[in-house]
């Protein structure tokens, strides 16, 4: 742990001295690093990290990567993303490589955009998230803020084409840090897909973040798929700041990482806004996926729906920590949290922990969690109709994921969701699992 | 067609079937009646291949071959069909997808080409109309939220689509209203034929007015204690089972 601390410090000092930027950004980095230091590194004793042992991770000595300007080869993206009618944005090891330009949308390298901001603008765009629940993964991301993309959709614009952000890692032993900031101005509407993958057989640390700023009456659907290799460590943050009457749906599919920390933090800070937080964590071998939800209701009359599902195979482990915080002003909050897990092996394991903190009195807040195996009675019923055991199992596993689809209204995202899930099913020899 | 020979079966060390022998020839309709807990559903489940039972003695032959070692899906592919007393609800699997998978699995085992969704839907819609079921039931999750009667009709829909040669109906009449009973019976009768056999488990003689059996058997405590023709059902209706218990 001490070595890890020192390694981060060395990395930061190198980074800080070699990347002078605007004063605002420099200060932000420095302050974030100070905050990271004062937070300290979490251990199992930490309530928010109870189920995730980081000791193995702390032994790693990743080196922060100083980005070069290699161009991403778009031939590398998988078949299922081979669309002609989308706006592609390519990140290569976190750095913006190139992109399709599209009307009414600003797409720019994050650092170059942020450098042009005065301190008020910076505060709003970068630092506009709730101060509650500071987490070392996000403070670290802020300390190294540089790479990533800034996307801004103009007021009143309905995106004709979905924006697909491709994010590819191929840098051995490196520590990659990047952030995407996606800003939907009032009354705009659109779909954003983030697809992350890597070459096999390299170990790296990705500390990535995606921050949505959603203006009044915006309507946004988001799909995030992470298929990074199973030797990688991924510390991920998704933060959403929602203004009045905004509607947001995010759907996460995780299949990658040796150790995955998936922090999701929607902040409902505009009256009448609504957030659907969907997720599917698909783990096998000895993968560990820790999902930490923090749904924050600040203003009244907002709805949130969390539906997170896990399918766990082999000796993999899952965590679902579902925190809901309803501030005292947030009357008429309707918050619902559901976590369901399907264990495909005796040795797979999942820990679930709800955490509700409610400071308003007129609130509807429910949570529920289930963990089980494939229902034998149902399997028998399918088999008694002539369906082979393997097919019957696959039908049951597929049916487990079906509930998520009801929340997704865009066909584009729906089809992608299905194809990534099917791909994992196919690659995981599910039917043969016992 | 189906021959059950001196079948003994336990569940959790409790003997449920205690030497049951029954022979059903091609084209015959047999009915089994008997008090609650006498082992009727146990017999039906064992025939369909449920694995929770320990068979301590006896054999089951289907078309002359023992099926004791066959998986449930293999039996279904050979033409054995069980209409469940309590059909299972499976959320997230639509009825029509399930039916098509089932039919295509059976077709595949026979070397027939799988049906395309449109071809299948055409057949399913025809059958569903015959059973006076609501077409929307095809697109709903399998049995989920179906009324008791809808579930039972759905079993018969599956039977008429899969077209088995040995159908076992476990209390398919329970929970049906009078009209539905007639519709279900018509559905069964439409599937009758020289090469098709039925084993109808019921508590009520009424069903047997519509589906007329060739033989009626009384199952008490895991054994067939009396067999007769359809008049036995009438006799049971008036006298109950006590006169047969010893
Ligand atoms: N899993 C089980 N564990 C223990 N006993 C069981 C189990 N399943 C069935 N039994 C017992 O086996 C006996 C026969 O049950 P079965 O369901 O075959 O009766 P049945 O004749 O179909 O009754 P009904 O007319 O009520 O449907 C009952 O005493 C029942 O309690
Ligand atoms: Mg029964």
């Amino acid at each position: 742990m001490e070595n890890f601390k020192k390694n981060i410090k060395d990395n930061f000092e190198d980074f800080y001295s070699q990347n002078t930027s605007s004063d605002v950004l420099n200060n932000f980095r420095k302050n974030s690093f100070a905050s990271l230091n004062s937070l300290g590194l979490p251990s199992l004793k930490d309530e928010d990290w109870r189920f995730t042992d980081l000791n193995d991770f702390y032994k790693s000595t990743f080196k922060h990567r100083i980005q070069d300007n290699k161009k991403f080869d778009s031939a590398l993206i998988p078949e299922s993303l081979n669309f002609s009618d989308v706006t592609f944005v390519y990140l290569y090891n976190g750095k913006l490589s190139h992109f399709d330009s599209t009307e009414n949308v600003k797409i720019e390298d994050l650092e170059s955009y942020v450098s042009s901001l005065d301190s008020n603008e910076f505060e709003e765009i970068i630092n506009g998230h709730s101060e509650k629940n500071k987490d070392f993964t996000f403070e670290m991301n802020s300390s190294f803020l540089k790479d990533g993309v800034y996307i801004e959709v103009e007021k009143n614009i309905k995106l004709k084409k979905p924006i697909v952000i491709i994010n590819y890692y191929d840098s051995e032993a490196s520590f990659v840090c990047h952030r995407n900031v996606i800003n939907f101005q009032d009354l705009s509407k659109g779909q954003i897909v983030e697809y992350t993958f890597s070459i096999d057989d390299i170990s790296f640390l990705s500390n990535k973040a995606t921050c949505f700023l959603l203006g009044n009456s915006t309507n946004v659907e988001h799909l995030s798929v992470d298929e990074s290799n199973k030797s990688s460590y991924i510390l991920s943050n998704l933060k959403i700041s929602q203004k009045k009457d905004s509607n947001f749906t995010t759907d996460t599919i995780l299949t990658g990482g040796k150790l995955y920390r998936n922090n999701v933090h929607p902040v409902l800070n505009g009256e009448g806004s609504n957030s659907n937080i969907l997720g599917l964590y698909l783990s096998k071998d000895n993968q560990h996926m820790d999902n930490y939800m923090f749904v924050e209701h600040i203003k009244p009359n907002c709805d949130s729906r969390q539906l997170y599902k896990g399918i766990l195979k082999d000796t993999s482990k899952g965590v679902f920590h579902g925190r809901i915080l309803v501030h005292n002003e947030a009357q008429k909050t309707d918050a619902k949290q559901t976590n369901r897990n399907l264990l495909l092996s005796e040795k797979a394991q999942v820990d679930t922990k709800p955490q509700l903190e409610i400071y308003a009195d007129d609130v509807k807040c429910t949570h529920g969690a289930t963990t089980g195996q494939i229902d034998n009675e149902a399997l028998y019923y399918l088999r008694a109709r002539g369906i082979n055991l393997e097919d019957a199992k696959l039908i049951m596993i597929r049916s487990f994921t079906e509930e998520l689809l009801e929340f997704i209204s865009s066909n584009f995202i729906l089809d992608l969701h299905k194809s990534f899930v099917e791909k994992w099913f196919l690659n995981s020899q599910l039917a043969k699992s016992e | 067609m189906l021959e059950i020979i001196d079948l003994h079966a336990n569940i959790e060390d409790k003997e449920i079937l205690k030497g049951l022998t029954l022979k059903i020839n091609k084209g015959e309709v047999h009915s089994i009646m008997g008090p609650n807990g006498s082992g009727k559903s146990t017999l039906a489940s064992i025939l369909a291949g449920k694995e929770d039972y320990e068979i301590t003695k006896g054999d089951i032959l289907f078309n002359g071959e023992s099926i004791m070692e066959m998986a449930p899906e293999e039996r279904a592919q050979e033409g054995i069909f069980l209409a469940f007393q309590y059909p299972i609800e499976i959320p997230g699997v639509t009825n029509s997808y399930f039916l098509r998978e089932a039919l295509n699995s059976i077709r595949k085992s026979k070397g027939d080409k799988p049906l395309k969704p449109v071809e299948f839907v055409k057949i399913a819609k025809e059958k569903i109309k015959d059973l006076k079921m609501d077409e929307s039931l095809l697109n709903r999750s399998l049995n989920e939220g179906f009324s008791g009667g809808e579930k039972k009709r759905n079993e018969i829909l599956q039977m008429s689509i899969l077209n088995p040669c040995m159908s076992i109906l476990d209390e398919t009449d329970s929970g049906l209203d009078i009209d539905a009973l007639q519709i279900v019976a018509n559905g069964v009768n439409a599937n009758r034929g020289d090469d098709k056999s039925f084993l109808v488990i019921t508590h009520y003689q009424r069903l047997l007015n519509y589906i007329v059996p060739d033989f009626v058997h009384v199952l008490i405590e895991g054994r067939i204690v009396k067999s007769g023709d359809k008049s036995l059902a009438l006799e049971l209706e008036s006298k109950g089972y006590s006169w047969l218990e010893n």
Side-chain angles (χ1 to χ4, degrees):
Chain A
M1 200 151 151
E2 286 312 309
N3 286 340
F4 187 86
K5 253 188 200 158
K6 176 155 188 325
N7 184 38
I8 298 242
K9 187 163 181 281
D10 293 346
N11 272 308
F12 179 74
E13 280 164 4
D14 280 355
F15 169 78
Y16 190 77
S17 60
Q18 287 171 38
N19 291 279
T20 37
S21 190
S22 69
D23 288 350
V24 178
L25 183 51
N26 284 341
N27 282 334
F28 177 72
R29 287 170 179 162
K30 212 164 61 188
N31 293 339
S32 300
F33 190 68
S35 152
L36 173 63
N37 267 329
S38 68
L39 273 176
L41 293 174
S43 72
L44 288 171
K45 289 194 200 97
D46 216 304
E47 241 345 86
D48 291 345
W49 289 86
R50 260 178 74 183
F51 303 112
T52 296
D53 188 349
L54 293 168
N55 280 315
D56 177 45
F57 168 66
Y58 289 146
K59 292 192 188 105
S60 65
T61 52
F62 298 108
K63 176 93 185 75
H64 185 264
R65 188 190 156 91
I66 305 299
Q67 300 300 330
D68 50 31
N69 284 317
K70 267 197 296 179
K71 190 172 176 198
F72 173 72
D73 174 7
S74 50
L76 289 169
I77 67 169
E79 192 85 15
S80 54
L81 282 164
N82 219 335
F83 299 105
S84 53
D85 50 352
V86 306
T87 302
F88 276 113
V89 175
Y90 300 102
L91 303 181
Y92 195 175
N93 289 313
K95 188 181 176 67
L96 181 61
S97 164
H98 59 294
F99 57 91
D100 303 330
S101 47
T102 182
E103 271 179 13
N104 308 110
V105 181
K106 180 209 282 289
I107 300 177
E108 196 178 341
D109 170 71
L110 184 71
E111 185 180 35
S112 90
Y113 173 73
V114 161
S115 307
S116 69
L117 301 178
D118 66 30
S119 61
N120 286 338
E121 291 163 338
F122 186 91
E123 199 58 31
E124 194 187 320
I125 302 278
I126 297 297
N127 215 5
H129 288 281
S130 165
E131 285 295 300
K132 291 261 169 11
N133 194 51
K134 279 210 168 171
D135 176 84
F136 99 95
T137 65
F138 195 65
E139 294 309 309
M140 189 155 82
N141 185 275
S142 297
S143 307
F144 292 87
L145 192 81
K146 173 181 167 67
D147 284 332
V149 64
Y150 176 75
I151 297 176
E152 184 176 304
V153 180
E154 283 175 21
K155 191 173 169 178
N156 259 320
I157 293 300
K158 302 199 178 0
L159 287 182
K160 285 189 204 76
K161 298 187 284 187
I163 296 175
V164 178
I165 304 169
I166 304 287
N167 182 19
Y168 178 69
Y169 303 119
D170 70 353
S171 176
E172 168 83 46
S174 66
F175 162 33
V176 185
C177 195
H178 57 104
R179 184 181 296 192
N180 298 334
V181 177
I182 302 166
N183 189 352
F184 275 82
Q185 305 278 37
D186 293 353
L187 297 155
S188 61
K189 182 179 171 164
Q191 293 142 15
I192 303 281
V193 173
E194 293 181 286
Y195 173 67
T196 301
F197 69 126
S198 74
I199 55 169
D200 289 338
D201 307 323
I202 60 164
S203 182
F204 59 94
L205 163 61
S206 158
N207 181 202
K208 60 176 180 144
T210 297
C211 298
F212 276 94
L213 300 166
L214 304 178
N216 295 330
S217 304
T218 47
N219 203 323
V220 176
E221 274 196 284
H222 172 238
L223 170 70
S224 173
V225 179
D226 197 329
E227 294 185 324
S228 295
N229 76 42
K230 296 207 291 297
S231 315
S232 55
Y233 295 89
I234 306 205
L235 305 174
S236 167
N237 279 277
L238 170 63
K239 291 189 180 261
I240 307 111
S241 165
Q242 293 190 234
K243 289 199 177 146
K244 206 164 166 293
D245 297 324
S246 59
N247 283 305
F248 183 69
T249 298
T250 178
D251 176 28
T252 298
I253 300 174
L254 302 182
T255 70
K258 177 183 183 184
L259 175 78
Y260 206 112
R261 171 72 167 200
N262 173 35
N263 287 340
V264 180
H265 182 195
V267 183
L268 294 135
N269 53 13
E271 207 171 324
S273 55
N274 163 36
S275 211
N276 294 318
I277 304 110
L278 315 173
L280 193 55
Y281 42 105
L282 307 170
S283 62
K284 57 186 169 189
D285 304 326
N286 60 351
Q287 285 182 291
H288 182 104
M289 296 184 180
D290 179 345
N291 301 283
Y292 185 96
M293 306 290 118
F294 179 31
V295 177
E296 211 178 337
H297 282 262
I298 292 180
K299 289 277 159 62
N301 287 308
C302 296
D303 293 355
S304 64
R305 294 285 174 275
Q306 296 173 66
L307 178 59
Y308 250 71
K309 293 196 154 195
I311 301 178
L312 300 96
K313 207 177 162 264
D314 308 321
T315 53
S316 64
K317 287 200 172 117
V319 179
F320 179 86
H321 184 135
R323 183 171 171 206
I324 300 175
L325 172 59
V326 181
H327 291 256
N328 57 4
E329 197 192 328
Q331 299 295 357
K332 306 266 184 219
T333 285
D334 185 349
K336 190 171 178 203
Q337 174 191 101
T338 310
N339 172 233
R340 295 190 202 288
N341 299 286
L342 182 63
L343 304 181
L344 298 181
S345 124
E346 301 275 321
K347 291 191 183 118
Q349 189 191 318
V350 67
D351 291 297
T352 295
K353 184 190 164 191
Q355 182 184 344
L356 309 185
E357 296 153 76
I358 300 168
Y359 299 102
D361 42 36
D362 186 10
V363 165
K364 222 162 89 189
C365 198
T366 61
H367 68 92
T370 57
T371 297
Q373 292 170 336
I374 298 178
D375 177 8
N376 267 325
E377 292 295 316
L379 266 190
Y380 165 61
Y381 189 64
L382 296 174
R383 296 174 75 191
R385 295 296 176 254
I387 299 171
N388 291 324
L389 177 60
E390 281 74 35
D391 295 334
K393 277 188 181 170
L394 196 56
I395 288 174
M396 292 307 296
I397 294 167
R398 193 179 283 130
S399 75
F400 174 79
T401 68
E402 207 71 4
E403 195 183 353
L404 290 161
L405 304 179
E406 293 162 23
F407 290 88
I408 303 171
S409 55
S410 134
N411 285 330
F412 179 74
I413 288 181
L414 203 64
D415 290 346
L416 274 181
H417 172 108
K418 286 186 196 162
S419 84
F420 282 112
V421 172
E422 286 298 322
K423 180 175 163 191
W424 188 80
F425 288 170
L426 201 69
N427 291 339
S428 304
Q429 304 202 315
L430 292 183
K432 293 198 184 75
S433 64
E434 252 320 311
Chain B
M1 169 150 298
L2 182 72
E3 211 176 336
I4 303 163
I5 307 158
D6 193 29
L7 191 65
H8 291 251
N10 293 359
I11 187 152
E12 287 166 10
D13 291 332
K14 183 178 159 206
E15 191 172 41
I16 310 288
L17 299 184
K18 304 171 182 172
L20 191 148
T21 297
L22 177 66
K23 188 173 176 194
I24 301 176
N25 294 310
K26 261 190 187 171
E28 288 177 353
V29 175
H30 290 238
S31 173
I32 289 188
M33 302 180 84
N36 294 132
S38 57
K40 303 180 298 298
S41 295
T42 303
L43 173 65
S45 300
I46 289 172
L47 291 175
K50 196 167 192 202
E51 284 149 356
D52 305 351
Y53 306 93
E54 188 197 353
I55 311 291
T56 52
K57 203 174 160 202
D59 204 354
I60 303 168
L61 305 182
F62 187 61
N63 295 326
E65 311 250 348
S66 174
I67 58 167
M68 298 295 268
E69 300 301 322
M70 279 165 67
E73 57 268 38
E74 292 173 300
R75 299 184 194 202
Q77 289 160 6
E78 292 291 317
I80 296 176
F81 178 92
L82 167 62
F84 283 60
Q85 182 175 3
Y86 304 109
I88 312 290
E89 299 192 4
I90 308 186
V93 177
T94 65
N95 205 11
S96 86
Y97 174 73
F98 159 72
L99 281 165
R100 184 159 57 88
E101 284 289 302
L103 180 57
N104 281 340
S105 300
I106 290 173
R107 289 176 66 93
K108 194 172 155 199
S109 73
K110 295 191 174 120
D112 294 338
K113 273 211 307 255
L115 291 183
K116 295 197 189 78
V118 272
E119 297 169 321
F120 169 77
V121 166
K122 199 168 159 259
I123 297 174
K125 283 194 174 163
E126 238 165 66
K127 302 281 186 193
I128 209 165
K129 216 168 109 195
D130 292 344
L131 288 165
K132 301 203 163 56
M133 288 168 70
D134 197 318
E135 241 180 52
S136 69
L137 293 179
L138 278 176
N139 297 322
R140 276 172 53 184
S141 277
L142 178 55
N143 291 326
E144 193 191 26
F146 283 28
S147 77
E150 283 170 342
K151 281 182 185 163
K152 294 303 177 78
R153 272 195 248 190
N154 205 32
E155 294 292 292
I156 300 305
L157 173 69
Q158 293 168 33
M159 183 186 83
S160 58
I161 287 174
L162 300 181
N163 196 23
C165 53
M166 176 74 239
S167 300
I168 303 147
L169 311 184
D170 191 358
E171 294 197 26
T172 302
D173 52 337
S174 300
L176 289 181
D177 66 43
I178 299 158
D179 291 341
L181 187 68
Q182 176 109 50
I183 292 160
V184 163
N186 289 345
V188 172
N189 288 331
N191 278 274
R192 282 177 78 159
D194 291 343
D195 52 353
K196 294 196 175 163
S197 313
F198 289 85
L199 180 60
V200 180
I201 297 168
T202 182
H203 287 294
Y204 306 105
Q205 188 276 333
R206 181 196 288 274
L207 177 70
L208 305 179
N209 288 335
Y210 300 114
I211 306 172
V212 182
D214 301 301
F215 300 94
V216 174
H217 311 277
V218 184
L219 182 66
I220 294 178
E221 286 185 25
R223 268 187 219 101
I224 288 179
V225 296
K226 193 169 175 63
S227 297
D229 62 13
K230 60 183 181 193
S231 64
L232 177 57
L234 283 167
E235 198 176 351
L236 291 170
E237 185 98 334
S238 60
K239 290 162 73 176
Y241 294 113
S242 54
W243 61 288
L244 291 166
E245 286 162 7
N246 42 22

